Amino acid sequence: MAAAAVLAWLSPDLATADPVDDARLLAADGDAADWLLPGRDYGARRFSPLDSIDTSNVKRLVPKWIYQTGYAATFQTSPLVADGVMYLTAPFSHVMAIDAATGREIWRYEHKSTAKKLCCGPANRGAALGYGKVFVATVDARLVALDQKTGSPIWDRPLATAGGDERSEDRGALGQGEGALKGEVSGATGVGANSAPLVFDGKAIVGVTGVGYGLHLDSPRPGAPLGAVVGVAGRFGRPGFIAAYDAASGQEVWRFDATRPDWEGEFAERTAYGVPLHRDVAAEKAAAPDHKDAWKTGGGSIWHAPALDPERGLLFFGIGNPSPQAAGESRPGDNLHTSSLVALDARTGRLVWAYQQTPHDLWGYDVASPPSLFDVEIDGKKIAAVGQASKLGWYFVHDRETGKLLFKSEPYSPQSNMFRPPTSEGIEIAPGVAGGVNWSPASIDQSAGVAYLAAMHWPATYRARTLPAADGKPEVRYFSIEPATSGMYGLLTAIDLKSGGTLKWQTRTPEPLIGGVLATAGGLVFSGEGDGDFSAFDAKTGEKLWAFNAGAGVNAPPIAYRIGDKDYVAVAAGGSQIWGFRQGGAVIAFGLPD
């Protein structure tokens, strides 16, 4: 049987589907059946208009199929659905197309990594569709275009050289006998890519990760969360960047670097929203002449797919912490534009505005959760806004055109000792390096004016350490961030965007919430936990209405789609090594009984 005939037999929709072109992507918000973009629409609102699964019948929800990828590792994919076919990425950047009604595999692409060592683990957060191709950014910092019908590679382009000339922190230089630093290295400064690309105007847009990652040390206890993050003063890594690539050829069209020669900024003593930073600005300015080139290894990873305003031609995304992580003395200044929300001209990559949430970041406060686009009304005037769920514990809402802060929410996670520098004795800070909201995508119900967030309380102890010069080796200054091992919990949160960011409700969960949320027109909010529970909550009250235990951590963003007259909710269940959640390799689709 010919290949085309096999595909038609397996999935008629794949063989006869309409092309996913610019017109279809621009209209994605009005396509209730499919999930064509990483955030469902260019505004990255992750809100499904499907309503047949609602508060009255969600208790009847059952698994309709389970697909096993064959890889039990940190699983963070957000699947795409087009014309009855689901496209998903597995750990290590493998890609699969499956029948979205049955879970049967149609094709599989096995990625062959060229990296000798991964900077940031095997996780991948999703693919992109467009122009007859499936695009995936890979753990070894490549962008690959696959044939949408067959999964065959069309082109494969390097984003950067993974494991190349970049210098990484050295575990051997640290205090081997210190209890908090005994774990094996599971990650270090490097370069890779794990976020989904965004397809627009004939281009695939994607950023790199790992460039400000620091040294990650596993806990010596199996199944426990990360033992410590270590930053060493010095020069490690390279600037992060986001770039656009021609979808037909893979050639780079434009690039925006996260750090530049003017990155020292104004040496701000307070954040742009008025919170003291407790910086020794005089000491930083005195050291600045010796660190003029620090921006060349300045970090600033891109951890998510951008949001896009096609009408204004603006691209919105967050940038991660500077490099070296936690060790600020070798990078004086504000370290622009790390730990910032940024708007670019989507066609040229030109900077339009940037809003730095944390100048001179010592705490790992990446702007890691994808921003979302919506309208707000202030003083009777409708304003096109962009919102972002921060690791700081506030939801920031900005004017989309100017970047002006319109408001920030009430805190949605506990805050203590914020922006206090590390000490030799150690100081406990909340939110810690895990954040209030980590990379987890939010969901926005535009009509109700509510943002739903997967947040957490997970404090960490920050310490400054010095290894004295000895045996001909110079003094080493390093900083450890040690997440708490008890007392952590999750906070599913609803924020009222109509009232300037008050909290409508919060539901506390036993496990910290990592992975994101899905809100639907059925009045439901779906989210998962590391213990394997995948749950549905009442969008008006936060009451838990239904739960299913998947057997592995549900630490990925759910999606919703329709085939014929049947609605589905699907999510990856594969846990996360870094958080100590049980790993697996399943995607599960739920629906009402036939």
Side-chain angles (χ1 to χ4, degrees), residues 335-358:
N335 310 142
L336 304 176
H337 292 291
T338 62
S339 301
S340 298
L341 182 66
V342 173
L344 303 182
D345 184 307
R347 290 184 169 85
T348 66
R350 177 184 61 85
L351 177 67
V352 177
W353 58 259
Y355 186 93
Q356 192 168 39
Q357 292 180 3
T358 309

Side-chain angles (χ1 to χ4, degrees), residues 89-317:
T89 56
F92 303 100
S93 312
H94 308 307
V95 186
M96 295 89 175
I98 62 177
D99 187 314
T102 67
R104 290 186 178 275
E105 185 176 296
I106 299 169
W107 57 252
R108 170 183 288 245
Y109 164 74
E110 299 279 350
H111 182 65
K112 304 292 192 251
S113 176
T114 58
K116 295 179 181 178
K117 186 177 180 181
L118 300 180
C119 66
C120 326
N124 189 283
R125 294 178 182 161
L129 290 174
Y131 323 119
K133 301 180 181 70
V134 181
F135 301 91
V136 60
T138 70
V139 290
D140 55 339
R142 306 185 72 82
L143 182 62
V144 181
L146 308 173
D147 186 291
Q148 184 180 345
K149 293 182 179 180
T150 67
S152 300
I154 297 174
W155 51 256
D156 180 340
R157 300 284 184 265
L159 302 174
T161 303
D165 296 333
E166 297 90 356
R167 182 167 163 251
S168 181
E169 296 92 337
D170 181 12
R171 172 66 176 85
L174 304 179
Q176 299 285 350
E178 298 186 60
L181 302 180
K182 285 184 177 179
E184 294 297 321
V185 173
S186 60
T189 297
V191 62
N194 72 356
S195 63
L198 186 78
V199 171
F200 170 66
D201 191 34
K203 296 180 282 289
I205 303 169
V206 71
V208 297
T209 56
V211 292
Y213 202 60
L215 202 60
H216 282 50
L217 303 179
D218 284 341
S219 170
R221 293 186 296 113
L226 181 72
V229 177
V230 176
V232 183
R235 298 284 182 267
F236 305 102
R238 52 156 297 152
F241 66 85
I242 190 169
Y245 300 84
D246 183 272
S249 66
Q251 297 302 310
E252 186 178 300
V253 178
W254 58 253
R255 174 181 294 215
F256 175 82
D257 288 323
T259 62
R260 301 179 178 199
D262 60 352
W263 86 321
E264 288 178 354
E266 299 178 355
F267 292 82
E269 298 196 45
R270 291 177 173 267
T271 68
Y273 41 93
V275 180
L277 287 165
H278 309 290
R279 291 169 69 177
D280 188 342
V281 168
E284 285 186 49
K285 288 184 176 179
D290 295 329
H291 298 281
K292 284 294 184 185
D293 291 338
W295 66 273
K296 292 181 179 179
T297 52
S301 295
I302 315 298
W303 293 107
H304 54 251
L308 174 76
D309 181 337
E311 179 184 348
R312 294 170 176 80
L314 294 178
L315 195 72
F316 303 89
F317 62 97

Side-chain angles (χ1 to χ4, degrees), residues 340-505:
S340 298
L341 182 66
V342 173
L344 303 182
D345 184 307
R347 290 184 169 85
T348 66
R350 177 184 61 85
L351 177 67
V352 177
W353 58 259
Y355 186 93
Q356 192 168 39
Q357 292 180 3
T358 309
H360 193 66
D361 184 0
L362 303 178
W363 307 274
Y365 286 146
D366 309 74
V367 182
S369 177
S372 303
L373 309 185
F374 47 85
D375 295 332
V376 294
E377 188 172 303
I378 298 178
D379 297 329
K381 181 182 178 182
K382 186 170 79 170
I383 300 175
V386 53
Q388 198 274 329
S390 75
K391 291 177 78 171
L392 300 164
W394 291 296
Y395 190 79
F396 290 89
V397 178
H398 302 262
D399 185 301
R400 209 181 298 171
E401 294 184 346
T402 66
K404 176 185 176 183
L405 182 65
L406 300 174
F407 59 86
K408 62 180 176 67
S409 72
E410 294 177 334
Y412 48 74
S413 60
Q415 297 170 323
S416 61
N417 290 323
M418 288 193 67
F419 304 128
R420 292 285 179 181
T423 66
S424 58
E425 300 81 12
I427 183 170
E428 186 176 271
I429 294 175
V433 68
V437 172
N438 199 272
W439 64 269
S440 310
S443 181
I444 311 296
D445 185 340
Q446 171 74 70
S447 61
V450 181
Y452 300 97
L453 318 178
M456 74 178 96
H457 173 56
W458 199 331
T461 299
Y462 289 58
R463 289 187 171 88
R465 303 170 183 267
T466 302
L467 285 177
D471 300 325
K473 295 181 180 180
E475 176 183 278
V476 176
R477 285 276 291 167
Y478 67 99
F479 302 82
S480 69
I481 305 172
E482 299 151 29
T485 56
S486 62
M488 307 89 74
Y489 53 83
L491 290 161
L492 187 66
T493 305
I495 293 177
D496 189 345
L497 300 174
K498 294 182 178 180
S499 66
T502 58
L503 305 189
K504 290 178 71 71
W505 54 257

